[in-house]
Amino acid sequence: MALFGTDGVRGLANGPLTADLALTLAQATAVVLGQGRTADARRAAGKRLTAVVARDPRVSGEFLAAAVAAGLAASGVDVLDAGVIPTPAAAFLVGSIDADFGVMVSASHNPAPDNGIKIFARGGVKLPDVVEQRIEAAMSRPKLQPTGADVGRIRRFADAEDRYALHLLSTLPHRLDGIHVVLDCANGAAAGVSPETFRDAGARVTVIGADPDGVNINDGVGSTHIDKLALEVVRLGADVGIAHDGDADRCLAVDAAGNIVDGDQIMAILAVSMKERGELADDTLVATVMSNLGLHRAMAAHGIRVEQTAVGDRYVLERMNQGGFSLGGEQSGHVIMSKHATTGDGVLTGLHLLARMAQTGKSLEELASVMTVYPQVLINVKDVDRTQVGHPVVAAAVLEAEGSLGTSGRVLLRASGTEQLVRVMVEAADVDVASEVAGRLADVVREHLALPA
């Protein structure tokens, strides 16, 4: 099984993800990313390579980040230890100080026992698959072993959080004065910088989920447990709630009535706003195939084209880079604003969402009404041959279902990338219709793609 998944290396800390693995991975990263013209020019000028290392507040992040820093320094790389900051902050800092690469130790929205290692190339961009494969191959080969004055140094990146906060504030088209926001920081990496930045932008801020103790990250709080935020917004009579996940690369929202505003709705609001300001490149939004049909219809009504990608923010980002697009993301709350960030940034997204509220004087409920959310029913059909998702009988059933829904619905069948499982997703104007069609298709998949007993 490949070491790298869809978002770096991830697993149970001190299970598959050990300090030894982190150190070896860092050494291999130094070998692979330490190659190239820029690296050679730095060495010719008598300069060592530089890397930013950061983490979320999981207790295991302490030893894993230390192992990463040790592996890099032992390979002759100077390490700037940024401490606990969001993943998008680490990516920003790599580009901001012209570091050669960066490493973020985090498992995002996963529970506390898990952890992960994400690697950013020069400029703070995620690695393409081919580079990850080269790093994995380099783990079993000789490492760099400089001695004496050529070993790397490990220093504290003292103003890392301040640099990131100032960058966020510099992107805002409008201050947030007059808006009362409840922030749920998921007891994660944004617990310090997010409340501070929203306050500096002018908002009145109430904070929950901002007491990380190393083991409570994502525990009943954050974007994967948004009910607590909704209750708090309603109880306080706040204008809006913003929920991050553990490493703050996601943003979901709650309006004043406690209704959840998901990533599709947030993208719709931001796309219209950016188009008005002339900042939506080619009047195009990039979204995955799982984005709601209502998003497509809303964007069409505003003269905005939607480009579709496979599920995963890395595929959204790849398409954005290929086409030079400025906005993209996922229903889950990964929103990428490429003018200001190289990856999904939950704090940046929340700030710009509130800036739109402040600029227009409209509530989040009013802004979110730009799109109608179609009921979406998802059924995971287990123990089936996912490689046969295009089976003729299944394909015929999909065509029949699409015909019955017409223009008022949508069907998507998607094979899992890791399990013998097929996901059946149906959207329709009526939830009962969506459920009936999804159930019928799931039965066809179950019958014709069943694995041998």
Side-chain angles (χ1 to χ4, degrees):
M1 182 177 292
L3 179 67
F4 286 89
T6 56
D7 198 16
V9 177
R10 193 172 294 186
L12 179 66
N14 248 4
L17 186 54
T18 62
D20 284 344
L21 176 62
L23 185 140
T24 305
L25 180 62
Q27 291 174 310
T29 299
V31 170
V32 174
L33 297 188
Q35 300 169 343
R37 286 181 304 219
T38 303
D40 290 341
R42 292 195 187 221
R43 290 192 187 94
K47 298 178 180 177
R48 283 190 292 265
L49 301 185
T50 302
V52 174
V53 175
R55 63 182 179 88
D56 72 23
R58 292 164 212 268
V59 64
S60 61
E62 297 176 2
F63 75 77
L64 289 171
V68 167
L72 294 177
S75 302
V77 179
D78 282 346
V79 174
L80 287 173
D81 179 2
V84 175
I85 57 172
T87 290
F92 163 74
L93 291 168
V94 171
S96 175
I97 67 167
D98 192 28
D100 294 281
F101 53 92
V103 181
M104 179 72 190
V105 177
S106 172
S108 189
H109 59 280
N110 283 29
D114 292 339
N115 218 321
I117 299 174
K118 304 178 187 183
I119 303 169
F120 295 100
R122 175 180 297 282
V125 298
K126 290 187 176 181
L127 302 180
D129 291 344
V130 65
V131 177
E132 290 182 340
Q133 291 162 7
R134 287 170 56 202
I135 291 173
E136 187 167 348
M139 291 177 69
S140 58
R141 296 174 184 161
K143 309 301 186 294
L144 302 172
Q145 290 184 293
T147 59
D150 292 330
V151 300
R153 307 293 297 272
I154 301 174
R155 304 191 305 275
R156 178 82 177 117
F157 197 154
D159 63 341
E161 191 171 285
D162 289 342
R163 280 178 181 253
Y164 175 58
L166 288 172
H167 161 68
L168 293 173
L169 292 169
S170 74
T171 72
L172 282 179
H174 200 285
R175 284 185 56 80
L176 314 184
D177 301 279
I179 295 179
H180 181 190
V181 57
V182 181
L183 294 178
D184 184 344
C185 298
N187 289 322
V193 70
S194 186
E196 168 195 339
T197 308
F198 276 86
R199 288 190 183 103
D200 287 346
R204 176 186 166 201
V205 178
T206 300
V207 186
I208 63 174
D211 297 302
D213 61 9
V215 295
N216 63 356
I217 190 169
N218 301 314
D219 186 8
V221 289
S223 60
T224 52
H225 303 278
I226 205 165
D227 291 350
K228 184 175 181 180
L229 175 63
L231 290 172
E232 197 69 3
V233 168
V234 173
R235 184 182 73 82
L236 294 173
D239 300 301
V240 57
I242 295 293
H244 303 308
D245 61 338
D247 70 339
D249 64 353
R250 294 191 194 191
C251 170
L252 293 180
V254 171
D255 68 21
N259 301 307
I260 296 172
V261 177
D262 68 13
D264 283 344
Q265 294 165 289
I266 291 171
M267 286 191 292
I269 294 167
L270 295 181
V272 172
S273 174
M274 290 172 64
K275 186 184 179 188
E276 285 180 7
R277 301 197 307 271
E279 296 180 357
L280 188 66
D282 203 20
D283 290 341
T284 298
L285 169 68
V286 182
T288 76
V289 292
M290 291 300 290
S291 279
N292 197 272
L293 178 61
L295 176 64
H296 292 260
R297 295 199 159 182
M299 294 299 91
H302 284 81
I304 296 171
R305 187 166 61 94
V306 178
E307 285 253 345
Q308 286 187 294
T309 75
V311 175
D313 64 321
R314 68 183 301 165
Y315 301 112
V316 172
L317 188 56
E318 282 177 10
R319 185 68 195 102
M320 290 176 70
N321 290 336
Q322 290 166 0
F325 303 125
S326 52
L327 181 66
E330 296 186 285
Q331 196 177 62
S332 60
H334 286 117
V335 177
I336 304 164
M337 305 177 73
S338 62
K339 181 180 178 181
H340 310 301
T342 59
T343 186
D345 189 329
V347 185
L348 177 73
T349 301
L351 287 166
H352 279 256
L353 184 63
L354 268 62
R356 182 61 170 173
M357 292 173 62
Q359 179 215 341
T360 60
K362 293 181 178 180
S363 68
L364 181 56
E365 184 178 13
E366 290 176 280
L367 291 174
S369 68
V370 68
M371 70 170 274
T372 299
V373 179
Y374 278 61
Q376 199 174 64
V377 174
L378 177 67
I379 298 177
N380 291 327
V381 186
K382 299 180 179 179
D383 300 321
V384 294
D385 186 352
R386 60 191 169 100
T387 66
Q388 297 298 311
V389 71
H391 187 285
V393 175
V394 174
V398 170
L399 283 174
E400 181 184 347
E402 290 175 334
S404 69
L405 292 170
T407 59
S408 64
R410 186 167 69 106
V411 175
L412 177 68
L413 262 64
R414 192 165 63 90
S416 167
T418 56
E419 305 173 75
Q420 291 291 17
L421 178 150
V422 171
R423 307 185 199 282
V424 177
M425 190 274 285
V426 176
E427 287 174 339
D430 182 273
V431 68
D432 291 333
V433 171
S435 296
E436 191 275 328
V437 173
R440 193 166 69 238
L441 283 174
D443 288 342
V444 173
V445 170
R446 205 173 282 114
E447 178 182 353
H448 291 277
L449 304 190
L451 292 169

